[in-house]
Structures are given as structure tokens and as C-alpha cells.
Amino acid sequence: DAGVTQSPTHLIKTRGQQVTLRCSPKSGHDTVSWYQQALGQGPQFIFQYYEEEERQRGNFPDRFSGHQFPNYSSELNVNALLLGDSALYLCASSLGGQAEAFFGQGTRLTVV
Amino acid sequence: AQSVTQLDSQVPVFEEAPVELRCNYSSSVSVYLFWYVQYPNQGLQLLLKYLSGSTLVKGINGFEAEFNKSQTSFHLRKPSVHISDTAEYFCAVIRGGGNKLTFGTGTQLKVEL
């Protein structure tokens, strides 16, 4: 079981650019959540996808959008990048309504 | 709204000593409670969880936590720490019936020889 996998592991972008991060959930899981973890902080919930639809959203601007594919993998897109978007982006997967979530290793995004 | 407070940002402790990492939450409804560990440059690993039942929960690596509803606390304990326990520890809650995790700001546990 490969667990939750995220790609890429690191990337550097320039202010104003757009970025796409990818996540493959743990085998058998159908729900994907995305979190942003700024340096020295706890993760903050961005949104959650289930059955290819956004089920819940945190307090993030519309520049943050996502998608879930039929195979349950997911993408996080961020437009018009700001310096403040620099963070570790974590993907977590779970099964339906179960509370336990499994996290990937994260993608470290640096905006310069 | 719910929030999670981790009272200590850093906890230094000598190897083989006991440790307690404190976590308090605020919620007017039932909650599920979790402790996660994060090693440098890695994601989060679940240590233990409280969903219902016994208030004393045992997790991996010898950690345990006790759910105290009257004090709205979920403190993490280990009777004897090891150098390899050095990491960041996060307490998190899910509001009963909800789906999103709300995390505390983390406690850096540093185990010294």
C-alpha cells in the first residue's frame, strides 16, 4: 500500500504565477482534503472533495480551487500566487464519513 | 466555532523522562480528538485518536492520551521518551458529524541526552 502520495515534493514559483499540486489517495479511500501549513503553524483546512465535488471549504480565497477525478485523485490549483502562499501543502485521504485521515508527505511551495 | 489550544510551544525533556503535552479544545458539541506527529520535512502521522468509548486512548510508539470532557482537554503522555521522539506534535479536533480537522499550533518536543 503506497499510502497518500503527493507531487511534486518541492517547487518554486514567481509571484503572479499559477501552480497545480497533485495528490493520490490511499488505496480504497474516496475523500481527499487539502491543508496549508505555514512555517511554524498548524495545518489550516482549505477544502475537501468527495464524489468529485467540493464538500466543504475553509476560509481561503477563490484563488484556491481544486478538482477530484473519477479515480479519487485530486489537484489543488492556486492562481495569482502571493508571497504569503509559501507553505507546505498537505493532502489527506479518508474513507467516506470516517474521521481518520491519512496524510501525504506534502508539497513545499516557495513563492519568490 | 471550535478551536484548539496547545499551551506549550516547546517542551525540552531528558531521555527516559516522562512527558506530557497539553491540549485544550473549545466546542459546544461532541468532538473527535487526535494527536499527530510531524518529523522534519515530512507529513503528519497519526499517533492516536478518540472517537468514543474509553477515555484513555493508547497509540503508537508508547504514547497515550486521556479525554477529559469536563476540562475539555486531551493531553498526550509518554512515561519514558526516546531521542527519536523529537518532533512536532499537533492536537486536532473534528466537530461531531463534521469532516475537517482543526489543528492547534503545535508543540515542539525536544529530547536531550
Side-chain angles (χ1 to χ4, degrees):
Chain A
D1 183 359
V4 180
T5 58
Q6 293 185 241
S7 62
T9 55
H10 297 82
L11 75 165
I12 300 174
K13 289 288 189 177
T14 304
R15 276 182 301 174
Q17 285 188 316
Q18 178 265 344
V19 68
T20 298
L21 312 182
R22 296 176 176 83
C23 172
S24 293
K26 182 178 170 66
S27 178
H29 285 184
D30 57 8
T31 303
V32 173
S33 302
W34 287 92
Y35 291 81
Q36 180 196 66
Q37 185 179 18
L39 199 61
Q41 300 295 318
Q44 298 290 317
F45 176 78
I46 303 175
F47 43 54
Q48 182 180 85
Y49 278 84
Y50 173 69
E51 293 188 341
E52 302 180 52
E53 292 196 359
E54 185 181 289
R55 179 158 69 173
Q56 193 172 2
R57 188 179 182 91
N59 189 26
F60 279 81
D62 291 344
R63 297 187 298 109
F64 290 77
S65 63
H67 187 75
Q68 186 178 35
F69 298 93
N71 66 354
Y72 306 122
S73 66
S74 176
E75 289 182 348
L76 164 65
N77 300 292
V78 186
N79 294 322
L81 284 166
L82 304 174
L83 294 179
D85 295 331
S86 295
L88 180 67
Y89 288 84
L90 295 164
C91 171
S93 74
S94 56
L95 178 59
Q98 292 186 7
E100 183 171 351
F102 293 81
F103 282 81
Q105 297 286 77
T107 294
R108 173 74 63 187
L109 172 65
T110 302
V111 182
V112 297
Chain B
Q2 60 193 40
S3 66
V4 180
T5 302
Q6 293 185 242
L7 298 169
D8 306 298
S9 59
Q10 293 186 21
V11 173
V13 62
F14 287 109
E15 193 174 32
E16 298 184 5
V19 69
E20 179 179 81
L21 306 184
R22 296 179 292 171
C23 173
N24 288 86
Y25 66 92
S26 63
S27 177
S28 58
V29 298
S30 63
V31 294
Y32 300 143
L33 296 156
F34 305 82
W35 276 98
Y36 284 87
V37 61
Q38 186 175 37
Y39 298 101
N41 301 313
Q42 294 193 23
L44 301 175
Q45 180 183 8
L46 180 66
L47 276 178
L48 48 79
K49 61 183 183 287
Y50 172 80
L51 303 181
S52 65
S54 174
T55 57
L56 182 62
V57 179
K58 294 189 182 297
I60 62 171
N61 300 341
F63 284 93
E64 65 179 33
E66 186 159 16
F67 170 55
N68 188 319
K69 188 175 181 179
S70 63
Q71 297 187 4
T72 60
S73 67
F74 191 56
H75 301 333
L76 180 70
R77 294 190 290 259
K78 186 170 182 177
S80 176
V81 296
H82 189 266
I83 287 287
S84 60
D85 292 323
T86 294
E88 188 87 19
Y89 291 79
F90 291 96
C91 181
V93 305
I94 290 179
R95 177 178 173 173
N99 295 291
K100 71 170 189 176
L101 285 158
T102 298
F103 286 87
T105 53
T107 297
Q108 176 66 44
L109 175 64
K110 185 174 181 181
V111 181
E112 302 167 350
L113 291 171

